[in-house]
Amino acid sequence: MTQWMQKLVIALLLGSSTLLAACNTMEGAGKDMERGGQEVQDAAKPGDQR
């Protein structure tokens, strides 16, 4: 293996492990965004004065 191929393999392994570790974080972020979207929808309902 050449040196650039070794660096590429290492970068791919690090990147994939980071993505796998971030799954729980992304799930939590998705739930937070969903709740925020729900609040926006609730605020936009006709007749709802806040």
Side-chain angles (χ1 to χ4, degrees):
M1 245 187 202
T2 63
Q3 188 175 9
W4 71 270
M5 286 179 71
Q6 289 175 340
K7 288 180 181 180
L8 178 64
V9 169
I10 290 170
L12 289 173
L13 289 173
L14 288 173
S16 62
S17 64
T18 301
L19 288 175
L20 288 174
C23 285
N24 289 333
T25 303
M26 291 303 293
E27 182 180 352
K31 288 179 182 178
D32 290 341
M33 290 170 55
E34 184 176 359
R35 273 188 243 125
Q38 187 63 46
E39 289 293 322
V40 169
Q41 286 181 347
D42 291 345
K45 287 181 182 174
D48 186 18
Q49 300 293 321
R50 288 188 181 208

